[in-house]
Amino acid sequence: MTFDPVTALADVRRGMIPAYIYNDEEVFRLERERLFSRAWVFVAHESELPEPGDYVVRRVLDDSFIVARDEQGTVRVMFNMCLHRGMQVCRAELGNASHFRCPYHAWTYRNDGRLAGLPFHVDAYGGEDGFAKRGERLLPAPSMDTYRGFVFISLDPNAPPLPEYLGDFAFYLDLYARQSPAGLEFRGPQRWRVKANWKIGAENFAGDSYHTPHTHASVVDIGLFREPKANKRKEGALYFAGPGAGTTYKLPPGDFAEKLRYVGYPGEMIERMGALWSPQQRMLVEDDGFMVSAATLFPNLSFVHNWPQIDEAGTVAPFISVRQWQPVSQNETEVLSWFAVDGAAPESFKRDSYKAYLMCFGSSGMFEQDDVENWVSITEMAGGSMAHRFNLNSRMGLTSAGEPITPPMTAFSGPGTARQGFGEFNQRHWLSMWLDHLETAPPATERLDLGART
């Protein structure tokens, strides 16, 4: 069966999802050509590059990029391919270097990308006349920008400006990323591969509060976590705004400080959050009584904020995890999972928060294991012939006529649309954005001649 994005979009908007899209080679080809060729994709956080010369190597599907802080302190993102014969210039995942040298013919580049060394330049090329070395550099990412320390790139040189792309979702992103003027510091990432389609994790974190009291029932049974009970998730809100969507928990009564203490934040952190957050962000917590939990920024960057019990004394510690669903194929995903914490937090808080993260998420986390079991099974089932014969029902929250069961919330201070209770509004929103890309031709690109005089 040939995949038709236009027909699929119509199905998705009425809440019916073609089952095979979670394991289909043609769909994955279109994602490569039409989505990841132009989307803004997260590649690193500036805290991973604290010193000049620090670098990490990250990918957008098959394209490898060096993310480096140069000697002047500027963060740059450069295509990891030598200008000569196309060898991968940097083969380590991270480190510190003033220069990168290609192992094939020893062409050497400064950590700002400039070509610094070309062996036998005069003998082999006749100097500048044969190869104009001056001004040549590793190809920069076609578009690159940062927000709150998050480094994003797009393979489309005509991508919309990042602030414009983030739009209203920046309001929610700040609740994770802006707890003090110090900003976040990242640890990790842990990396592993799962035999599951990348979209499933992205959709799940965008708004599947319905699975939590069932898939993760064991973490409540053993006393690790008090929040995934069905009534707690039903009282929470689902919201979508711009390119992002997420979930919240409903907090118990109290003022701003009391609610954040319930989550596990110490007084000094609460004071800084109160001073930095906007009046509307404070109102979301204090007046409306909601705290952000999981969320996804389209296409493949997710966040989770939870507060498990970390010891027998009942100590509750909040943590933030940032994760990326990196597609490998239609049925395999590389998961990158970072622990993120406010850089100005007390060391004791950082220690407890990291323990909470490891207990719940990461390669050995209990939540992680529960989720992956489901996602692998979904992917396997989507690869068979029967999956091409029907659409999955993703109409939760709608009547038979397609009308929302509950109206949008009015007592919700964040931008976008929010509804309380269960529903699949966020998943339909995410899949609609996905299909908008797949039905649009990929951006045109120009081929460059490197080092040649015309």
Side-chain angles (χ1 to χ4, degrees):
M1 177 184 291
T2 301
F3 177 69
D4 178 9
V6 176
T7 301
L9 182 59
D11 286 337
V12 165
R13 285 179 174 160
R14 64 188 179 89
M16 305 305 296
I17 315 301
Y20 68 91
I21 67 170
Y22 300 107
N23 192 347
D24 185 85
E25 191 171 353
E26 183 184 356
V27 169
F28 186 67
R29 178 183 61 79
L30 287 172
E31 290 171 346
R32 180 193 304 276
E33 293 177 358
R34 300 188 172 194
L35 196 167
F36 287 96
S37 64
R38 63 173 144 236
W40 280 104
V41 177
F42 172 76
V43 290
H45 190 268
E46 289 183 347
S47 66
E48 297 182 87
L49 314 164
E51 301 295 333
D54 286 346
Y55 69 87
V56 295
V57 172
R58 298 283 157 76
R59 305 185 75 86
V60 178
L61 273 70
D62 294 328
D63 290 315
S64 175
F65 291 90
I66 304 168
V67 188
R69 190 179 294 276
D70 69 20
E71 298 306 313
Q72 284 67 51
T74 301
V75 174
R76 299 178 181 272
V77 184
M78 301 161 287
F79 186 42
N80 190 12
M81 177 185 275
C82 182
L83 304 182
H84 177 218
R85 299 295 292 167
M87 176 65 181
Q88 190 174 357
V89 174
C90 181
R91 304 180 73 185
E93 291 189 18
L94 66 133
N96 183 282
S98 62
H99 293 74
F100 300 104
R101 187 172 69 177
C102 176
Y104 197 3
H105 299 97
W107 286 33
T108 304
Y109 305 84
R110 293 184 175 91
N111 58 18
D112 63 3
R114 287 180 295 164
L115 180 59
L118 192 165
F120 307 109
H121 187 206
V122 173
D123 294 339
Y125 289 93
E128 286 290 302
D129 184 60
F131 184 92
K133 184 178 74 170
R134 188 176 296 109
E136 291 297 333
R137 61 173 60 240
L138 293 173
L139 290 179
S143 294
M144 177 262 187
D145 204 351
T146 64
Y147 183 83
R148 305 287 185 215
F150 289 76
V151 182
F152 293 88
I153 66 169
S154 173
L155 303 189
D156 182 1
N158 299 310
L162 181 62
E164 178 184 315
Y165 173 77
L166 292 175
D168 285 339
F169 187 73
F171 174 97
Y172 302 99
L173 181 53
D174 284 356
L175 294 172
Y176 301 94
R178 195 168 179 247
Q179 296 186 352
S180 83
L184 290 176
E185 62 180 46
F186 273 40
R187 299 182 193 172
Q190 295 185 28
R191 291 172 49 187
W192 64 95
R193 290 190 176 192
V194 296
K195 299 296 288 184
N197 184 270
W198 72 275
K199 294 187 292 296
I200 303 172
E203 284 181 60
N204 179 280
F205 277 67
D208 192 345
S209 58
Y210 188 63
H211 85 291
T212 316
H214 313 292
T215 294
H216 303 303
S218 61
V219 300
V220 178
D221 294 341
I222 65 173
L224 171 67
F225 206 69
R226 60 192 174 188
E227 299 295 357
K229 296 176 183 176
N231 67 305
K232 283 287 185 180
R233 296 311 269 149
K234 188 173 68 172
E235 292 167 5
L238 306 169
Y239 69 86
F240 58 85
T247 67
T248 77
Y249 281 109
K250 182 70 173 176
L251 298 172
D255 61 22
F256 183 76
E258 289 170 332
K259 287 175 176 172
L260 287 178
R261 278 198 297 271
Y262 171 82
V263 173
Y265 285 103
E268 64 184 274
M269 294 185 71
I270 295 171
E271 192 173 322
R272 288 192 289 264
M273 289 184 218
L276 272 182
W277 287 356
S278 70
Q280 289 73 27
Q281 288 167 331
R282 285 181 54 106
M283 285 173 60
L284 183 67
V285 175
E286 183 169 19
D287 298 346
D288 306 339
F290 293 107
M291 175 58 72
V292 293
S293 180
T296 294
L297 172 62
F298 185 86
N300 64 335
L301 183 67
S302 292
F303 304 83
V304 61
H305 176 227
N306 277 333
W307 39 97
Q309 178 179 311
I310 61 169
D311 57 30
E312 293 182 357
T315 304
V316 172
F319 70 87
I320 296 169
S321 174
V322 178
R323 61 238 333 277
Q324 187 172 46
W325 317 102
Q326 176 69 269
V328 177
S329 69
Q330 69 269 19
N331 54 20
E332 187 171 12
T333 300
E334 182 178 51
V335 184
L336 286 79
S337 176
W338 291 265
F339 167 70
V341 67
D342 175 41
E347 288 303 315
S348 58
F349 176 88
K350 292 180 180 181
R351 182 176 60 251
D352 288 347
S353 184
Y354 187 56
K355 180 178 180 181
Y357 159 74
L358 291 177
M359 290 169 65
C360 293
F361 285 93
S363 58
S364 61
M366 283 183 274
F367 279 81
E368 202 83 59
Q369 306 306 314
D370 292 340
D371 285 330
V372 169
E373 186 73 18
N374 291 325
W375 301 346
V376 169
S377 179
I378 292 168
T379 303
E380 288 177 349
M381 299 304 296
S385 60
M386 287 295 294
H388 286 78
R389 302 187 186 189
F390 69 99
N391 292 333
L392 301 170
N393 189 306
S394 187
R395 291 176 54 83
M396 190 185 303
L398 300 176
T399 67
S400 59
E403 297 298 321
I405 294 171
T406 57
M409 296 176 64
T410 55
F412 192 85
S413 298
T417 301
R419 285 184 169 85
Q420 197 164 18
F422 298 124
E424 289 169 324
F425 300 97
N426 294 10
Q427 291 94 320
R428 294 189 292 268
H429 175 70
W430 189 94
L431 282 167
S432 292
M433 289 188 288
W434 172 74
L435 281 163
D436 284 341
H437 281 79
L438 265 57
E439 70 172 348
T440 306
T445 56
E446 260 184 56
R447 186 169 284 107
L448 303 174
D449 286 337
L450 298 175
R453 293 189 180 277
T454 56

